[in-house]
Amino acid sequence: MAISKTMVSGSMTMLLLKLLSEKDMYGYEMISTLRQRSQNVFELKAGTLYPLLHTMEEKKLLQSYEQEIQGKMRKYYSITREGRRMLSEKEAEWREYAGAVTSVLGLEG
Amino acid sequence: MEEYLQKVLEQIRCKQARKMVEEELRGHLEEQISDNLLEGMDRDEAVKRAVEDMGSPVETGISLDALHRPQMCWSMIILIGFISFLGIVIQTVIGKSDGTLGNSHIIRYIFHVVLGFGLMLGVYRLDYSFLGKYAKFLAGLGGLFLFLQAEFFPVSVNGANSWITLPGIGTFSISSMLYLAIPLYGGILYQYYGQGIRGIGKCLLWLLIPVYLAYRMPHLFQAGFLFLVEGVLLSYAVWKGWFQVKRGVFLGMFWGITLALPAGIAVLGVKLHWFAPYQIDRIQYYLGRLGHISGFSTEVIRENGRYDVVQFLSASYGVIAAVVVVAMVLILAMKGLHVAKKQKNQLGMMIGYAGALFFLFMTLFHIGEAAGFFPGTTSFLPFLSSGGSNLLVSYVVLGLLLSVYRYQNLLPAEQKKTVVHKRTGGFCKS
């Protein structure tokens, strides 16, 4: 089922930070991992991902470095301390929000 | 695929950002195409699907353009603008207070400030990363030029042969140009990144070249200053793991020898008359009063046709005036350190530190000299002292700092390098 763009974009920063909190990744790997773990709900386009990654890097939530893999240079991203702090905040916000929505909709938790 | 990339890149105005974005997007597309082929698509279909999955190239390009623009460090520009204006005011007051200097002193100073500001803006627009590729070449060429000029075509000014004549501009101090060795040395360190103990050996040789050139002029203060600042840069590079040696051992040896050697040379130089008589007199005089702080002068002193800015201000307007003016230059230096610290690009960081340390140490030495803590030297107060050559070099170094700031979001961090040493020994890490 296609999910509303507004609902997705608000949480994308948190999702990317979550992925990077587990290990350093490059852009394509993030899109693949996100797709797999969300059972194809999140089909993030590269044209959306890279501006978001660069924005997060400018805000010092991430840092990037280049590494040679099988003769090709790849740009990896890793989460910073500030990024981890932001992730904790956003996760707390999300739990509160999700709990409230669940409660209003009368869904079982 | 090329059409997609072109459409994205057309939206991005900054050249350095275009290169960086192209590499990243191309890499992404190639991986996507590769996966599509593994899924059984033919080449054309794989490329078409990969490009569709990227989204709108124009929207992507516009978003990236908004993010990747060269940055202007306005706070530093405003500060240097104010300091430059202050310098003109101070030198005008000095010029008016001494009738023998005349208006030509003021006009010459204003000319150097304007020229320096222009040079600074020119250097600011350069992509400083050229130092990462050509630092050794430039240092070698510059060193050779300065050596040949001083040895075979010296121009004597006030008894010193460390000048050259630039057609249409006038005489320029070779020793001032030697200060440009400091940011070049930052680039040289970067070029030897990851090369272990051999890299350090070569860096030490490059460190000694400008020191030797200064020593030959002879400008002992400058030789010591260059050694100190470049030594700090080398130490920082070692500390950050650029050469993968045992940091404590190397730094202990380097600074132990550095501190013991000048003391030894000074003592032997005096006893064995290696130095000129006036230098021996100075060493003996100042060793006798080393550490004695006389405080800023209460009288205006003219030396070698010039007035020291700090002494002039403290004598004419009180110590507070001198302190305020010096503090502005120190703030500029601290701002430079802050810019350097923020860099994720290692070359940018090292060039930034080189520039900032040049300003910081020169200002501190000059304060120490004005307060009587150090002997009379050729130190100057960056951007405020009257020497045109030193002024121009200061603006060029500041231009490099601004260039580092300008490109801070556009030049990526370097790949994490692993260095494999074929043999270990001494203080190399195993």
Side-chain angles (χ1 to χ4, degrees), chain B residues 346-424:
Chain B
Q346 300 288 294
L347 173 63
M349 179 189 67
M350 192 54 78
I351 302 291
Y353 276 131
L357 289 176
F358 166 68
F359 292 130
L360 180 66
F361 284 7
M362 185 58 78
T363 305
L364 290 176
F365 269 112
H366 194 72
I367 295 170
E369 183 188 335
F373 193 76
F374 293 122
T377 67
T378 53
S379 70
F380 57 93
L381 192 59
F383 305 107
L384 292 170
S385 291
S386 63
S389 305
N390 289 333
L391 195 56
L392 293 178
V393 164
S394 297
Y395 278 110
V396 168
V397 173
L398 186 62
L400 274 173
L401 255 175
L402 290 171
S403 176
V404 166
Y405 187 91
R406 175 182 160 101
Y407 293 111
Q408 63 184 337
N409 289 333
L410 303 174
L411 294 174
E414 286 75 4
Q415 60 177 313
K416 288 186 179 172
K417 292 187 186 183
T418 52
V419 178
V420 177
H421 293 285
K422 288 186 182 164
R423 58 191 168 104
T424 61

Side-chain angles (χ1 to χ4, degrees), chain B residues 115-160:
Chain B
L115 180 61
F117 223 91
L119 276 175
M120 180 187 78
L121 293 176
V123 171
Y124 154 74
R125 289 192 62 85
L126 284 178
D127 176 0
Y128 71 86
S129 64
F130 77 92
L131 287 176
K133 292 179 199 161
Y134 304 114
K136 284 187 289 183
F137 172 73
L138 290 170
L141 195 65
L144 185 64
F145 170 74
L146 294 178
F147 174 77
L148 292 174
Q149 180 71 39
E151 286 295 305
F152 301 111
F153 307 102
V155 173
S156 180
V157 176
N158 290 336

Side-chain angles (χ1 to χ4, degrees), chain A residues 32-48:
Chain A
S32 307
T33 309
L34 206 54
R35 187 190 308 124
Q36 277 168 24
R37 284 168 58 163
S38 68
Q39 283 93 49
N40 296 333
V41 170
F42 297 131
E43 297 271 5
L44 187 60
K45 291 207 183 291
T48 309

Side-chain angles (χ1 to χ4, degrees), chain A residues 24 26-29 31-32 35 44-55 57-58 60 63-68 72-75 77-78, chain B residues 4 20-21 23-25 27-28 30-33 35-36 52-56 59-60 63-64 67-68 71 342 344 408-409 412-416:
Chain A
D24 294 359
Y26 56 100
Y28 184 71
E29 189 182 5
I31 289 180
S32 307
R35 187 190 308 124
L44 187 60
K45 291 207 183 291
T48 309
L49 171 71
Y50 288 108
L52 187 52
L53 285 177
H54 294 187
T55 302
E57 190 175 10
E58 200 173 340
K60 312 277 189 249
Q63 57 194 23
S64 64
Y65 59 91
E66 291 184 335
Q67 193 151 19
E68 192 177 330
K72 286 187 183 175
M73 293 304 290
R74 229 183 233 160
K75 190 171 177 184
Y77 293 87
S78 66
Chain B
Y4 168 84
M20 178 182 72
V21 166
E23 278 173 11
E24 195 167 22
L25 294 182
H28 185 109
E30 283 171 356
E31 296 224 24
Q32 181 71 73
I33 291 168
D35 278 358
N36 289 349
E52 279 171 6
D53 284 348
M54 297 293 278
S56 161
E59 281 179 23
T60 303
S63 300
L64 290 169
L67 286 169
H68 295 300
Q71 314 247 329
K342 276 175 52 177
K344 58 183 183 189
Q408 63 184 337
N409 289 333
E414 286 75 4
Q415 60 177 313
K416 288 186 179 172

Side-chain angles (χ1 to χ4, degrees), chain B residues 49-337:
Chain B
R49 189 72 78 77
V51 169
E52 279 171 6
D53 284 348
M54 297 293 278
S56 161
V58 173
E59 281 179 23
T60 303
I62 290 172
S63 300
L64 290 169
D65 172 66
L67 286 169
H68 295 300
R69 287 194 188 144
Q71 314 247 329
M72 176 67 109
C73 189
W74 287 109
S75 59
M76 212 181 259
I77 295 278
I78 290 167
L79 183 56
I80 189 55
F82 184 71
I83 291 174
S84 301
F85 174 73
L86 196 62
I88 291 174
V89 168
I90 292 171
Q91 293 299 330
T92 302
V93 170
I94 289 175
K96 295 285 186 200
S97 70
D98 185 336
T100 61
L101 286 176
N103 285 336
S104 62
H105 168 80
I106 302 165
I107 292 168
R108 198 167 50 244
Y109 185 82
I110 294 173
F111 167 74
H112 282 120
V113 170
V114 171
L115 180 61
F117 223 91
L119 276 175
M120 180 187 78
L121 293 176
V123 171
Y124 154 74
R125 289 192 62 85
L126 284 178
D127 176 0
Y128 71 86
S129 64
F130 77 92
L131 287 176
K133 292 179 199 161
Y134 304 114
K136 284 187 289 183
F137 172 73
L138 290 170
L141 195 65
L144 185 64
F145 170 74
L146 294 178
F147 174 77
L148 292 174
Q149 180 71 39
E151 286 295 305
F152 301 111
F153 307 102
V155 173
S156 180
V157 176
N158 290 336
N161 287 339
S162 54
W163 296 79
I164 57 173
T165 302
L166 297 177
I169 297 177
T171 50
F172 191 82
S173 166
I174 291 174
S175 76
S176 295
M177 288 173 80
L178 260 185
Y179 284 120
L180 294 175
I182 294 173
L184 279 177
Y185 192 67
I188 288 170
L189 287 171
Y190 181 79
Q191 286 187 285
Y192 286 117
Y193 180 111
Q195 293 191 25
I197 192 67
R198 278 196 192 156
I200 288 187
K202 292 172 188 173
C203 288
L204 282 169
L205 282 175
W206 281 105
L207 183 156
L208 291 172
I209 292 173
V211 171
Y212 173 71
L213 286 173
Y215 172 75
R216 277 190 68 92
M217 282 186 187
H219 283 292
L220 292 187
F221 165 75
Q222 187 179 34
F225 182 86
L226 288 169
F227 187 93
L228 174 67
V229 180
E230 290 178 352
V232 169
L233 291 174
L234 174 61
S235 302
Y236 183 72
V238 168
W239 186 259
K240 292 291 281 184
W242 281 26
F243 300 102
Q244 300 224 322
V245 295
K246 285 184 182 168
R247 300 181 292 192
V249 174
F250 171 78
L251 293 175
M253 280 173 59
F254 179 75
W255 288 106
I257 293 171
T258 296
L259 293 170
L261 204 57
I265 290 175
V267 167
L268 288 174
V270 167
K271 289 203 179 305
L272 301 178
H273 299 280
W274 288 346
F275 303 124
Y278 80 92
Q279 289 172 328
I280 293 174
D281 288 341
R282 274 195 188 181
I283 290 171
Q284 288 174 328
Y285 172 70
Y286 284 108
L287 279 176
R289 49 179 296 223
L290 194 68
H292 171 71
I293 300 177
S294 62
F296 294 154
S297 171
T298 53
E299 58 178 289
V300 175
I301 300 166
R302 181 174 169 172
E303 199 174 317
N304 291 329
R306 289 181 181 171
Y307 293 90
D308 176 77
V309 167
V310 175
Q311 282 184 340
F312 181 86
L313 286 173
S314 70
S316 304
Y317 301 103
V319 171
I320 303 287
V323 166
V324 167
V325 165
V326 166
M328 275 193 257
V329 182
L330 284 175
I331 289 170
L332 190 73
M334 299 311 288
K335 179 72 185 165
L337 286 175

Side-chain angles (χ1 to χ4, degrees), chain A residues 80-97:
Chain A
T80 62
R81 197 183 303 175
E82 177 65 20
R84 288 188 192 277
R85 194 193 60 77
M86 174 67 74
L87 174 61
S88 298
E89 266 179 34
K90 292 233 174 243
E91 279 179 323
E93 263 178 39
W94 175 257
R95 280 191 208 100
E96 192 175 343
Y97 174 76

